[in-house]
Amino acid sequence: MISQPSRHCTVELQALPSRIGQVRRIVSAQLRYWHLDPLIDRAALGVTELLTNVHRHAEPDKLCTVEIELLLDRLTVSVRDHDPRLPEVRDADVTATCGRGLAMVAALSESWGVRPDGESGKVVWFTLAAPCPAVELPARPSYRTAAETASAVSRSFAEVEHVAGGVRSGHAPARSAVAG
C-alpha cells in the first residue's frame, strides 16, 4: 500500500447565513481538487448543518473554524466554536421545521462525534469514507506567465513551419539511453 500524506484545509469565519454558503462552496472546491467529487454533496450538507448549529446556538460569539482533512481513505470535517455546551441529537416531531441537524449528520456520515476543546469550546466532527485509491496530487500547481506561454506557442509554430517545409535544422535525432 502506498502511503499518502495528510491533506487539510482550514477556514475561520463568523457563522452567518451568507458565510455558510461561501464555506459550502470552499469545501466543494477543495474536494473537487482532491478528486473526491462523490463526497461533495454529503460533505457540503454536513458542514451546512454544523455551521447552522453554530449560528443558532453558539455563545458568546459565532466565530468558528471549519477544518477538512483527508487522511488515507477517510475525510474528516470538523467545526470548532467557542461554546462549551455540547450538542445533543433531538427527536424532532415530524412537523418540526428544525431540530434535525445532528440526526442528518449522523445519517449521512460514517461516524460523527463531539469533544470539548479546552475550557471554552467544542469540536463537532463527522467522517466520510473516501474512494480508493486516492489520486496523488502535485505538491502545488505550476503556472506559466503569459510571456512564457506566448514564447512556447511561438516556438511550437516555428517548429511546425520547419517540419512542414521539410527543413528541421538544429535538431539532433532522438536517442535512447536504454541499450537495445
Side-chain angles (χ1 to χ4, degrees), residues 27-59:
V27 167
S28 297
Q30 187 64 54
L31 294 181
R32 270 188 215 94
Y33 178 72
W34 288 342
H35 302 282
L36 296 173
D37 298 48
L39 303 182
I40 291 173
D41 290 340
R42 291 184 296 149
L45 178 58
V47 78
T48 298
E49 292 302 325
L50 296 184
L51 289 173
T52 299
N53 283 350
V54 173
H55 172 70
R56 292 180 149 211
H57 306 292
E59 294 177 9

Side-chain angles (χ1 to χ4, degrees), residues 33-174:
Y33 178 72
W34 288 342
H35 302 282
L36 296 173
D37 298 48
L39 303 182
I40 291 173
D41 290 340
R42 291 184 296 149
L45 178 58
V47 78
T48 298
E49 292 302 325
L50 296 184
L51 289 173
T52 299
N53 283 350
V54 173
H55 172 70
R56 292 180 149 211
H57 306 292
E59 294 177 9
D61 58 35
K62 307 301 179 190
L63 185 65
C64 64
T65 303
V66 174
E67 183 174 6
I68 58 174
E69 181 177 31
L70 176 62
L71 183 59
L72 298 176
D73 62 346
R74 189 87 43 243
L75 179 75
T76 302
V77 179
S78 61
V79 175
R80 173 179 285 115
D81 66 38
H82 298 128
D83 190 341
R85 297 175 299 158
L86 302 181
E88 298 175 10
V89 177
R90 295 186 201 166
D91 288 328
D93 185 65
V94 289
T95 59
T97 58
C98 61
R100 292 185 183 86
L102 287 178
M104 285 178 32
V105 169
L108 66 83
S109 65
E110 187 173 85
S111 62
W112 76 278
V114 60
R115 67 179 182 271
D117 184 40
E119 293 185 22
S120 60
K122 67 180 168 298
V123 177
V124 183
W125 56 270
F126 65 91
T127 64
L128 301 171
C132 288
V135 175
E136 198 58 40
L137 301 175
R140 62 181 166 172
S142 61
Y143 298 101
R144 289 184 180 179
T145 64
E148 290 170 330
T149 302
S151 174
V153 168
S154 65
R155 282 193 309 270
S156 295
F157 283 132
E159 280 185 12
V160 169
E161 287 174 4
H162 286 301
V163 171
V167 178
R168 191 171 171 121
S169 60
H171 293 280

